[in-house]
Amino acid sequence: MDKKNALRAGALAAGTTLMMLLMSSPALALTRDDGDDPGQGLSVIETLGLYVLAPVALFVVITGLVMVLDKSKSEHRVVKPGKAKA
């Protein structure tokens, strides 16, 4: 991709992000709805576990299963030029 297209893509991504931030209104989160009954908040450890550790663990498990259960034959794998086939 040349410089002009990269600059255009970056400007589009930045503009889209800025518009999304401006259009969302976090001030409305302060207004309580009828029947709203929020529970207790999460601690820092619970938040990190739920939003960081659980997705990373899920990613590792899925990656491990794909690697272990890979049934492709070695003659079908792509080999870089200059390397001998096993």
Side-chain angles (χ1 to χ4, degrees):
M1 185 163 41
D2 61 348
K3 217 176 208 181
K4 187 177 179 181
N5 284 343
L7 186 62
R8 185 179 297 155
L12 181 66
T16 303
T17 304
L18 182 63
M19 287 304 296
M20 292 297 283
L21 286 173
L22 291 174
M23 296 300 286
S24 65
S25 50
L28 293 176
L30 297 175
T31 307
R32 301 292 296 269
D33 291 331
D34 291 338
D36 192 12
D37 188 21
Q40 293 179 347
L42 298 175
S43 70
V44 173
I45 300 298
E46 290 171 333
T47 303
L48 287 175
L50 184 62
Y51 294 108
V52 176
L53 296 178
V56 168
L58 187 62
F59 175 79
V60 169
V61 167
I62 291 171
T63 303
L65 285 171
V66 168
M67 290 174 67
V68 167
L69 299 175
D70 181 22
K71 300 284 186 195
S72 63
K73 297 177 181 170
S74 61
E75 63 262 12
H76 292 279
R77 293 192 181 141
V78 177
V79 179
K80 291 183 181 179
K83 294 202 175 195
K85 286 189 175 181

Coordinates of all heavy atoms in Angstrom, one line a residue:
M1 N 0.9 -1.2 0.0 CA 0.0 0.0 0.0 C 0.9 1.2 0.0 O 1.8 1.3 0.8 CB -0.9 0.0 1.2 CG -1.9 1.1 1.2 SD -3.3 0.9 2.3 CE -2.7 0.2 3.8
D2 N 0.6 2.2 -0.8 CA 1.5 3.3 -0.9 C 1.1 4.3 0.2 O 0.2 4.1 1.0 CB 1.4 4.0 -2.3 CG -0.1 4.5 -2.6 OD1 -1.0 4.1 -1.9 OD2 -0.2 5.2 -3.6
K3 N 1.9 5.4 0.3 CA 1.8 6.3 1.4 C 0.5 7.1 1.4 O -0.1 7.3 2.4 CB 2.9 7.3 1.2 CG 3.5 7.8 2.5 CD 4.7 8.7 2.2 CE 5.7 8.6 3.3 NZ 6.8 9.5 3.2
K4 N -0.1 7.4 0.2 CA -1.3 8.1 0.1 C -2.5 7.3 0.6 O -3.3 7.8 1.4 CB -1.5 8.5 -1.4 CG -2.7 9.4 -1.6 CD -2.8 9.8 -3.1 CE -4.0 10.7 -3.3 NZ -4.1 11.0 -4.7
N5 N -2.5 6.0 0.3 CA -3.6 5.1 0.8 C -3.5 4.9 2.3 O -4.5 4.8 3.0 CB -3.6 3.8 0.0 CG -4.2 3.9 -1.4 OD1 -4.9 4.9 -1.7 ND2 -3.9 3.0 -2.2
A6 N -2.3 4.8 2.8 CA -2.1 4.6 4.2 C -2.5 5.8 5.0 O -3.2 5.7 6.0 CB -0.6 4.3 4.5
L7 N -2.2 7.0 4.5 CA -2.6 8.2 5.1 C -4.1 8.4 5.1 O -4.8 8.8 6.1 CB -2.0 9.4 4.4 CG -2.2 10.8 5.0 CD1 -1.6 10.8 6.4 CD2 -1.5 11.8 4.2
R8 N -4.7 8.0 4.0 CA -6.2 8.1 3.8 C -6.9 7.1 4.8 O -7.8 7.5 5.5 CB -6.6 7.7 2.4 CG -8.1 7.9 2.2 CD -8.5 7.6 0.7 NE -7.8 8.5 -0.2 CZ -7.5 8.3 -1.4 NH1 -7.8 7.1 -2.0 NH2 -6.9 9.2 -2.2
A9 N -6.3 5.9 4.9 CA -6.9 4.9 5.8 C -6.8 5.4 7.3 O -7.7 5.2 8.1 CB -6.2 3.5 5.6
G10 N -5.6 5.9 7.6 CA -5.4 6.4 9.0 C -6.3 7.6 9.3 O -6.9 7.6 10.4
A11 N -6.5 8.5 8.4 CA -7.4 9.6 8.6 C -8.9 9.1 8.8 O -9.6 9.6 9.6 CB -7.3 10.6 7.5
L12 N -9.2 8.2 8.0 CA -10.6 7.6 8.1 C -10.8 6.9 9.4 O -11.8 7.1 10.1 CB -10.9 6.6 6.9 CG -12.2 6.0 6.9 CD1 -13.3 7.1 6.7 CD2 -12.3 4.9 5.9
A13 N -9.8 6.2 9.9 CA -9.9 5.5 11.2 C -10.0 6.5 12.3 O -10.8 6.3 13.2 CB -8.8 4.5 11.3
A14 N -9.1 7.5 12.2 CA -9.1 8.5 13.3 C -10.4 9.3 13.3 O -11.0 9.6 14.4 CB -7.9 9.5 13.1
G15 N -10.9 9.7 12.1 CA -12.2 10.4 12.1 C -13.4 9.6 12.6 O -14.2 10.1 13.3
T16 N -13.4 8.3 12.2 CA -14.5 7.4 12.7 C -14.4 7.3 14.2 O -15.5 7.4 14.9 CB -14.3 6.1 12.0 OG1 -14.4 6.2 10.6 CG2 -15.5 5.1 12.5
T17 N -13.2 7.1 14.8 CA -13.1 7.0 16.2 C -13.5 8.3 16.9 O -14.2 8.2 17.9 CB -11.6 6.6 16.6 OG1 -11.2 5.5 15.9 CG2 -11.4 6.4 18.0
L18 N -13.1 9.4 16.4 CA -13.5 10.7 17.0 C -15.0 10.9 17.0 O -15.6 11.3 17.9 CB -12.8 11.8 16.3 CG -13.0 13.2 16.8 CD1 -12.5 13.3 18.2 CD2 -12.4 14.2 15.9
M19 N -15.6 10.5 15.8 CA -17.1 10.7 15.7 C -17.8 9.8 16.7 O -18.8 10.2 17.3 CB -17.5 10.4 14.3 CG -17.2 11.5 13.3 SD -17.8 13.2 13.8 CE -19.5 12.9 13.8
M20 N -17.3 8.6 16.9 CA -17.9 7.6 17.8 C -17.8 8.2 19.2 O -18.7 8.0 20.0 CB -17.3 6.2 17.7 CG -17.6 5.6 16.4 SD -19.3 5.2 16.1 CE -19.5 3.9 17.2
L21 N -16.7 8.7 19.6 CA -16.5 9.3 20.9 C -17.4 10.5 21.1 O -17.9 10.7 22.2 CB -15.0 9.7 21.1 CG -14.0 8.5 21.3 CD1 -12.6 9.0 21.3 CD2 -14.4 7.8 22.6
L22 N -17.5 11.3 20.1 CA -18.4 12.5 20.3 C -19.8 12.2 20.3 O -20.6 12.8 21.0 CB -18.1 13.5 19.2 CG -16.7 14.2 19.2 CD1 -16.5 15.0 17.9 CD2 -16.5 15.0 20.4
M23 N -20.2 11.1 19.6 CA -21.7 10.8 19.6 C -22.1 10.0 20.8 O -23.3 10.1 21.1 CB -21.9 9.9 18.3 CG -21.7 10.6 17.0 SD -22.7 12.1 16.8 CE -24.3 11.3 16.5
S24 N -21.2 9.3 21.5 CA -21.6 8.6 22.7 C -21.7 9.7 23.8 O -20.9 10.6 23.9 CB -20.6 7.5 23.0 OG -19.4 8.1 23.3
S25 N -22.7 9.5 24.6 CA -22.9 10.5 25.7 C -22.8 9.8 27.0 O -23.8 9.3 27.5 CB -24.2 11.3 25.5 OG -25.2 10.4 25.3
P26 N -21.7 9.8 27.7 CA -21.5 9.2 29.0 C -22.3 9.9 30.1 O -22.6 9.4 31.1 CB -20.0 9.2 29.3 CG -19.5 10.2 28.4 CD -20.4 10.3 27.2
A27 N -22.7 11.2 29.8 CA -23.4 11.9 30.8 C -24.8 11.3 31.0 O -25.4 11.4 32.1 CB -23.6 13.4 30.4
L28 N -25.3 10.6 30.0 CA -26.6 10.0 30.2 C -26.6 8.8 31.1 O -27.6 8.3 31.6 CB -27.2 9.6 28.8 CG -27.6 10.7 27.9 CD1 -28.0 10.1 26.5 CD2 -28.6 11.6 28.5
A29 N -25.4 8.3 31.4 CA -25.2 7.2 32.3 C -25.6 7.6 33.7 O -25.8 6.7 34.6 CB -23.8 6.6 32.2
L30 N -25.5 8.9 34.0 CA -25.8 9.3 35.4 C -27.3 9.3 35.7 O -27.8 9.3 36.8 CB -25.3 10.7 35.6 CG -23.8 10.9 35.5 CD1 -23.4 12.3 35.6 CD2 -23.1 10.0 36.6
T31 N -28.1 9.4 34.6 CA -29.6 9.4 34.8 C -30.1 7.9 35.0 O -29.8 7.1 34.2 CB -30.3 9.9 33.5 OG1 -29.7 11.2 33.2 CG2 -31.8 10.1 33.7
R32 N -30.8 7.7 36.1 CA -31.3 6.4 36.5 C -32.6 6.1 35.8 O -33.4 7.0 35.7 CB -31.4 6.3 38.0 CG -30.2 6.5 38.8 CD -29.2 5.4 38.6 NE -29.6 4.1 39.1 CZ -29.5 3.7 40.3 NH1 -28.8 4.4 41.2 NH2 -29.9 2.5 40.6
D33 N -32.8 4.9 35.3 CA -34.0 4.5 34.6 C -35.0 4.0 35.7 O -34.6 3.6 36.8 CB -33.8 3.4 33.6 CG -33.0 4.0 32.4 OD1 -33.1 5.2 32.1 OD2 -32.3 3.2 31.8
D34 N -36.3 4.0 35.3 CA -37.3 3.4 36.2 C -37.0 1.9 36.4 O -36.8 1.2 35.4 CB -38.7 3.6 35.7 CG -39.1 5.1 35.7 OD1 -38.5 5.8 36.5 OD2 -40.0 5.5 35.0
G35 N -37.0 1.4 37.6 CA -36.8 0.0 37.8 C -35.4 -0.4 37.8 O -35.1 -1.6 37.9
D36 N -34.5 0.5 37.7 CA -33.0 0.2 37.7 C -32.6 -0.2 39.1 O -32.8 0.5 40.1 CB -32.3 1.5 37.3 CG -30.8 1.2 36.9 OD1 -30.5 0.0 36.8 OD2 -30.1 2.1 36.8
D37 N -32.0 -1.4 39.2 CA -31.5 -1.9 40.5 C -30.1 -2.5 40.3 O -29.9 -3.7 40.1 CB -32.5 -3.0 41.0 CG -32.1 -3.4 42.4 OD1 -31.5 -2.6 43.1 OD2 -32.6 -4.5 42.8
P38 N -29.1 -1.6 40.2 CA -27.7 -2.1 40.0 C -27.2 -2.9 41.2 O -27.6 -2.6 42.3 CB -26.9 -0.8 39.8 CG -27.7 0.2 40.5 CD -29.1 -0.2 40.4
G39 N -26.4 -3.9 40.9 CA -25.8 -4.7 41.9 C -24.5 -4.0 42.4 O -24.2 -2.9 42.1
Q40 N -23.8 -4.8 43.2 CA -22.5 -4.3 43.7 C -21.5 -4.2 42.6 O -21.6 -5.0 41.6 CB -22.0 -5.2 44.8 CG -22.9 -5.2 46.1 CD -22.3 -6.1 47.1 OE1 -21.4 -7.0 46.8 NE2 -22.8 -6.0 48.3
G41 N -20.6 -3.3 42.7 CA -19.6 -3.2 41.7 C -18.5 -4.3 41.8 O -18.4 -5.0 42.8
L42 N -17.7 -4.4 40.8 CA -16.6 -5.4 40.8 C -15.4 -4.8 41.4 O -15.1 -3.6 41.2 CB -16.3 -5.9 39.4 CG -17.4 -6.6 38.6 CD1 -17.0 -6.9 37.2 CD2 -17.8 -7.9 39.3
S43 N -14.6 -5.6 42.1 CA -13.3 -5.2 42.6 C -12.3 -5.1 41.4 O -12.6 -5.6 40.3 CB -12.8 -6.1 43.7 OG -12.4 -7.4 43.1
V44 N -11.1 -4.6 41.6 CA -10.1 -4.5 40.6 C -9.7 -5.9 40.1 O -9.6 -6.2 38.9 CB -8.9 -3.7 41.1 CG1 -7.8 -3.7 40.1 CG2 -9.3 -2.3 41.4
I45 N -9.5 -6.8 41.1 CA -9.1 -8.2 40.7 C -10.2 -8.9 39.9 O -9.9 -9.6 38.9 CB -8.8 -9.0 42.0 CG1 -7.7 -8.3 42.8 CG2 -8.5 -10.4 41.7 CD1 -6.4 -8.2 42.1
E46 N -11.5 -8.7 40.3 CA -12.6 -9.3 39.6 C -12.7 -8.8 38.2 O -12.9 -9.5 37.2 CB -13.9 -9.1 40.3 CG -14.0 -9.9 41.6 CD -15.2 -9.5 42.4 OE1 -15.7 -8.4 42.3 OE2 -15.7 -10.4 43.2
T47 N -12.5 -7.5 38.1 CA -12.5 -6.8 36.7 C -11.4 -7.3 35.8 O -11.7 -7.6 34.7 CB -12.5 -5.3 36.9 OG1 -13.5 -4.9 37.8 CG2 -12.6 -4.6 35.6
L48 N -10.2 -7.4 36.3 CA -9.1 -7.9 35.6 C -9.3 -9.3 35.2 O -9.0 -9.7 34.0 CB -7.8 -7.7 36.3 CG -7.2 -6.3 36.4 CD1 -6.0 -6.2 37.3 CD2 -7.0 -5.7 35.1
G49 N -9.8 -10.1 36.1 CA -10.0 -11.5 35.8 C -11.1 -11.7 34.7 O -10.9 -12.5 33.8
L50 N -12.1 -10.9 34.8 CA -13.2 -11.1 33.9 C -12.9 -10.5 32.5 O -13.3 -11.1 31.5 CB -14.5 -10.4 34.4 CG -15.8 -10.5 33.6 CD1 -16.2 -11.9 33.5 CD2 -16.8 -9.7 34.3
Y51 N -12.2 -9.4 32.4 CA -12.0 -8.7 31.1 C -10.6 -8.8 30.5 O -10.4 -8.5 29.4 CB -12.4 -7.2 31.3 CG -13.8 -7.0 31.5 CD1 -14.3 -6.6 32.8 CD2 -14.8 -7.2 30.6 CE1 -15.6 -6.4 33.0 CE2 -16.1 -7.1 30.8 CZ -16.6 -6.6 32.1 OH -17.9 -6.5 32.3
V52 N -9.7 -9.4 31.3 CA -8.3 -9.6 30.8 C -8.0 -11.1 30.8 O -7.6 -11.7 29.8 CB -7.3 -8.7 31.5 CG1 -5.9 -9.0 31.1 CG2 -7.6 -7.3 31.4
L53 N -8.0 -11.7 32.0 CA -7.5 -13.0 32.1 C -8.4 -14.1 31.5 O -7.9 -15.0 30.8 CB -7.3 -13.4 33.6 CG -6.3 -12.5 34.4 CD1 -6.2 -12.9 35.8 CD2 -4.9 -12.7 33.7
A54 N -9.7 -13.9 31.6 CA -10.6 -14.9 31.0 C -10.5 -14.9 29.4 O -10.4 -16.0 28.8 CB -12.0 -14.6 31.4
P55 N -10.5 -13.8 28.7 CA -10.3 -13.8 27.3 C -8.9 -14.4 26.9 O -8.8 -15.1 25.9 CB -10.4 -12.3 26.8 CG -11.2 -11.7 27.9 CD -10.8 -12.4 29.2
V56 N -7.9 -14.0 27.6 CA -6.5 -14.5 27.3 C -6.5 -16.0 27.5 O -6.0 -16.8 26.6 CB -5.4 -13.8 28.1 CG1 -4.1 -14.5 28.0 CG2 -5.3 -12.4 27.7
A57 N -7.1 -16.5 28.6 CA -7.1 -18.0 28.8 C -7.9 -18.7 27.7 O -7.5 -19.7 27.2 CB -7.7 -18.2 30.2
L58 N -9.0 -18.1 27.3 CA -9.9 -18.7 26.3 C -9.1 -18.7 24.9 O -9.1 -19.7 24.2 CB -11.1 -17.9 26.1 CG -12.2 -18.4 25.1 CD1 -12.7 -19.8 25.6 CD2 -13.4 -17.5 25.0
F59 N -8.3 -17.7 24.6 CA -7.5 -17.6 23.4 C -6.4 -18.7 23.5 O -6.2 -19.4 22.5 CB -6.9 -16.2 23.3 CG -5.9 -16.2 22.2 CD1 -6.4 -16.0 20.9 CD2 -4.5 -16.2 22.4 CE1 -5.5 -15.9 19.8 CE2 -3.6 -16.1 21.3 CZ -4.1 -16.0 20.0
V60 N -5.8 -18.9 24.6 CA -4.7 -19.9 24.8 C -5.3 -21.3 24.6 O -4.7 -22.2 23.9 CB -4.0 -19.7 26.1 CG1 -3.1 -20.9 26.4 CG2 -3.2 -18.4 26.1
V61 N -6.5 -21.5 25.2 CA -7.1 -22.9 25.1 C -7.5 -23.2 23.6 O -7.2 -24.3 23.1 CB -8.4 -23.0 26.0 CG1 -9.2 -24.2 25.7 CG2 -7.9 -23.0 27.5
I62 N -8.1 -22.2 22.9 CA -8.5 -22.4 21.6 C -7.3 -22.7 20.7 O -7.2 -23.6 19.8 CB -9.4 -21.3 21.0 CG1 -10.7 -21.3 21.7 CG2 -9.5 -21.4 19.5 CD1 -11.6 -20.1 21.5
T63 N -6.2 -21.8 20.9 CA -5.0 -22.0 20.1 C -4.4 -23.3 20.4 O -3.9 -24.0 19.4 CB -4.0 -20.9 20.5 OG1 -4.6 -19.6 20.2 CG2 -2.7 -21.0 19.6
G64 N -4.3 -23.8 21.6 CA -3.8 -25.1 21.9 C -4.5 -26.2 21.3 O -3.9 -27.2 20.8
L65 N -5.9 -26.1 21.3 CA -6.7 -27.2 20.7 C -6.5 -27.2 19.2 O -6.4 -28.3 18.6 CB -8.1 -26.9 21.0 CG -8.6 -27.3 22.5 CD1 -10.0 -26.8 22.7 CD2 -8.5 -28.7 22.7
V66 N -6.3 -26.1 18.6 CA -6.1 -26.1 17.1 C -4.8 -26.7 16.8 O -4.6 -27.5 15.9 CB -6.2 -24.6 16.6 CG1 -5.7 -24.5 15.2 CG2 -7.7 -24.1 16.6
M67 N -3.7 -26.4 17.6 CA -2.4 -26.9 17.3 C -2.3 -28.4 17.6 O -1.7 -29.1 16.8 CB -1.4 -26.2 18.2 CG -1.2 -24.7 17.8 SD -0.1 -23.8 18.8 CE 1.5 -24.6 18.6
V68 N -3.0 -28.9 18.6 CA -2.9 -30.3 19.0 C -3.8 -31.1 18.0 O -3.3 -32.2 17.6 CB -3.4 -30.5 20.4 CG1 -3.7 -32.0 20.7 CG2 -2.4 -29.9 21.4
L69 N -4.9 -30.6 17.6 CA -5.8 -31.4 16.7 C -5.5 -31.1 15.3 O -6.4 -31.6 14.4 CB -7.2 -31.0 17.1 CG -7.7 -31.3 18.5 CD1 -9.1 -30.8 18.8 CD2 -7.5 -32.8 18.8
D70 N -4.5 -30.5 14.9 CA -4.1 -30.2 13.5 C -3.8 -31.6 12.8 O -2.9 -32.3 13.2 CB -2.9 -29.3 13.4 CG -2.5 -29.0 12.0 OD1 -3.4 -29.1 11.1 OD2 -1.4 -28.6 11.8
K71 N -4.6 -31.9 11.8 CA -4.4 -33.1 11.1 C -3.8 -33.0 9.7 O -3.8 -33.9 8.9 CB -5.8 -33.8 10.9 CG -6.5 -34.1 12.2 CD -5.9 -35.3 12.9 CE -6.7 -35.6 14.1 NZ -6.0 -36.5 15.0
S72 N -3.3 -31.8 9.4 CA -2.8 -31.6 8.0 C -1.5 -32.3 7.8 O -0.7 -32.5 8.8 CB -2.5 -30.1 7.8 OG -1.6 -29.6 8.6
K73 N -1.3 -32.8 6.6 CA -0.1 -33.6 6.3 C 1.1 -32.7 6.0 O 0.9 -31.6 5.5 CB -0.4 -34.5 5.1 CG -1.5 -35.5 5.4 CD -1.8 -36.4 4.2 CE -3.0 -37.3 4.6 NZ -3.5 -38.0 3.4
S74 N 2.3 -33.2 6.3 CA 3.4 -32.3 6.1 C 3.7 -32.0 4.6 O 4.2 -30.9 4.4 CB 4.7 -33.0 6.7 OG 4.9 -34.3 6.0
E75 N 3.3 -32.8 3.7 CA 3.5 -32.5 2.3 C 2.5 -31.4 1.8 O 2.8 -30.8 0.7 CB 3.4 -33.7 1.4 CG 2.0 -34.3 1.4 CD 1.9 -35.5 2.3 OE1 2.8 -35.8 3.1 OE2 0.9 -36.3 2.2
H76 N 1.5 -31.1 2.6 CA 0.6 -30.0 2.2 C 0.9 -28.7 2.8 O 0.3 -27.7 2.5 CB -0.9 -30.4 2.6 CG -1.4 -31.5 1.8 ND1 -2.0 -31.4 0.6 CD2 -1.5 -32.9 2.1 CE1 -2.4 -32.5 0.1 NE2 -2.1 -33.5 1.0
R77 N 1.9 -28.7 3.7 CA 2.3 -27.4 4.4 C 3.2 -26.6 3.5 O 3.9 -27.1 2.6 CB 3.0 -27.7 5.7 CG 2.1 -28.4 6.7 CD 2.7 -28.4 8.0 NE 1.8 -29.1 8.9 CZ 2.1 -30.0 9.9 NH1 3.4 -30.2 10.0 NH2 1.2 -30.5 10.6
V78 N 3.1 -25.3 3.6 CA 3.9 -24.3 2.8 C 5.2 -24.3 3.4 O 5.4 -24.1 4.6 CB 3.2 -22.9 2.8 CG1 4.1 -21.9 2.1 CG2 1.8 -23.0 2.2
V79 N 6.3 -24.4 2.6 CA 7.7 -24.4 3.0 C 8.3 -23.2 2.3 O 8.2 -23.0 1.1 CB 8.4 -25.7 2.6 CG1 9.8 -25.7 3.1 CG2 7.7 -26.9 3.3
K80 N 9.1 -22.4 3.1 CA 9.8 -21.3 2.6 C 10.8 -21.8 1.6 O 11.5 -22.8 1.8 CB 10.4 -20.5 3.7 CG 9.4 -19.8 4.5 CD 10.0 -18.9 5.6 CE 9.0 -18.2 6.4 NZ 9.6 -17.4 7.5
P81 N 11.1 -21.0 0.5 CA 12.1 -21.4 -0.4 C 13.5 -21.5 0.3 O 13.8 -20.7 1.1 CB 12.1 -20.3 -1.5 CG 10.8 -19.6 -1.3 CD 10.4 -19.8 0.1
G82 N 14.2 -22.5 -0.1 CA 15.6 -22.7 0.5 C 15.6 -23.6 1.6 O 16.7 -24.0 2.1
K83 N 14.4 -24.0 2.2 CA 14.4 -25.0 3.3 C 14.0 -26.3 2.7 O 13.2 -26.5 1.9 CB 13.4 -24.5 4.3 CG 13.8 -23.2 5.0 CD 13.1 -23.1 6.3 CE 13.6 -21.8 7.0 NZ 13.3 -21.8 8.4
A84 N 14.6 -27.3 3.3 CA 14.4 -28.7 2.9 C 13.1 -29.2 3.5 O 12.7 -28.9 4.6 CB 15.5 -29.6 3.2
K85 N 12.4 -30.1 2.8 CA 11.1 -30.7 3.3 C 11.5 -31.8 4.3 O 12.5 -32.5 4.1 CB 10.3 -31.3 2.2 CG 9.6 -30.2 1.4 CD 8.6 -30.9 0.5 CE 7.7 -29.9 -0.2 NZ 6.8 -30.5 -1.1
A86 N 10.7 -31.9 5.3 CA 11.0 -33.0 6.4 C 10.4 -34.3 5.9 O 9.5 -34.4 5.3 CB 10.5 -32.5 7.7

